[in-house]
Amino acid sequence: MYELFKNLGTWLTASEQWAGADGIGHRLAEHLEYSLLATLIAAVIALPVGLLIGHTGRGAFLAINLASFGRALPTVGLVVLVFLASGLSMTPVYVALVALAVPSIVTNTYAGMSAIDPEVKDAARGQGMRGRQVLLQVEIPLALPLIMTGLRLALIQVVATATIAAYVSFGGLGRYVFDGLAQRDLVQVLGGAVLVAVVAVVLDLALSGLQRLLFRHRTPA
């Protein structure tokens, strides 16, 4: 075991391991690109859904259950299914990652909107605000902490799962895991797994810190 971790340290710190198209720096950039783009697409889809059902109170049961169904889908199976339909491209990867990210964003957005005291919304309407104004000026600002939590959870899940890009011959940190398995190189497999874990933890801590900074003056309801 000591020898394994010693070799892992050598693998991670070797200068040649960080250079070139197969280097850690390049693979990390690919991994972040896949993760950020997939999370952005998921947010574009899921945020309006969560805001709509939270604002109107309609369709909550259907939307939440569909979101939960997306969470239950086997990611690799979905990649293979879309791959068979669309051919060799990044489309299957993005479809799978978006399907993984949508549930967290929908459920947290809806939860944030539902947690708002109805009297607050009634007071806003009593001051002459219309439906859109109540949504934009009252509901979204109050729900924003939970909305950001949903985005944060979605991004971390996507980062941890974006290794599947290597499953269909693309890049990212998953390249080390799949290539290492093919070559029976345990050090490379472990190195890839450690890098993914470190990226996920660092992003989680950074986003958590940003969230606390943005809402440090907000008192609990």
Side-chain angles (χ1 to χ4, degrees), residues 2-209:
Y2 170 77
E3 193 67 27
L4 175 61
F5 282 101
K6 179 182 177 182
N7 291 337
L8 174 62
T10 302
W11 186 87
L12 288 170
T13 56
S15 58
E16 63 271 15
Q17 190 62 44
W18 288 82
D22 293 325
I24 293 174
H26 183 70
R27 294 303 185 197
L28 174 61
E30 291 177 329
H31 201 92
L32 290 174
E33 178 186 345
Y34 303 156
S35 302
L36 293 173
L37 182 55
T39 306
L40 177 61
I41 295 171
V44 169
I45 296 169
L47 281 176
V49 174
L51 292 173
L52 179 64
I53 61 176
H55 178 66
T56 64
R58 299 174 183 173
F61 178 81
L62 178 62
I64 298 300
N65 279 278
L66 285 176
S68 299
F69 174 73
R71 182 181 290 149
L73 285 173
T75 305
V76 174
L78 185 58
V79 168
V80 172
L81 182 63
V82 179
F83 172 77
L84 293 174
S86 66
L88 182 61
S89 70
M90 276 296 295
T91 300
V93 176
Y94 283 123
V95 168
L97 294 179
V98 168
L100 179 69
V102 162
S104 293
I105 301 174
V106 170
T107 53
N108 278 271
T109 301
Y110 172 66
M113 298 285 285
S114 300
I116 299 171
D117 190 337
E119 293 184 2
V120 174
K121 293 184 281 188
D122 289 340
R125 294 189 185 97
Q127 292 179 357
M129 288 188 180
R130 298 182 180 275
R132 180 176 296 182
Q133 292 174 310
V134 174
L135 174 64
L136 296 177
Q137 298 179 33
V138 178
E139 291 180 297
I140 291 179
L142 291 175
L144 199 54
L146 271 177
I147 293 173
M148 286 193 63
T149 297
L151 290 169
R152 179 180 129 217
L153 291 173
L155 178 59
I156 302 311
Q157 288 176 321
V158 168
V159 167
T161 312
T163 52
I164 59 171
Y167 187 76
V168 285
S169 302
F170 288 94
L173 296 174
R175 190 78 271 155
Y176 300 124
V177 177
F178 285 93
D179 288 351
L181 288 172
Q183 299 164 14
R184 297 184 179 180
D185 185 345
L186 183 57
V187 171
Q188 187 176 181
V189 173
L190 187 58
V194 167
L195 288 168
V196 172
V198 168
V199 171
V201 169
V202 169
L203 281 175
D204 188 38
L205 291 174
L207 293 175
S208 179

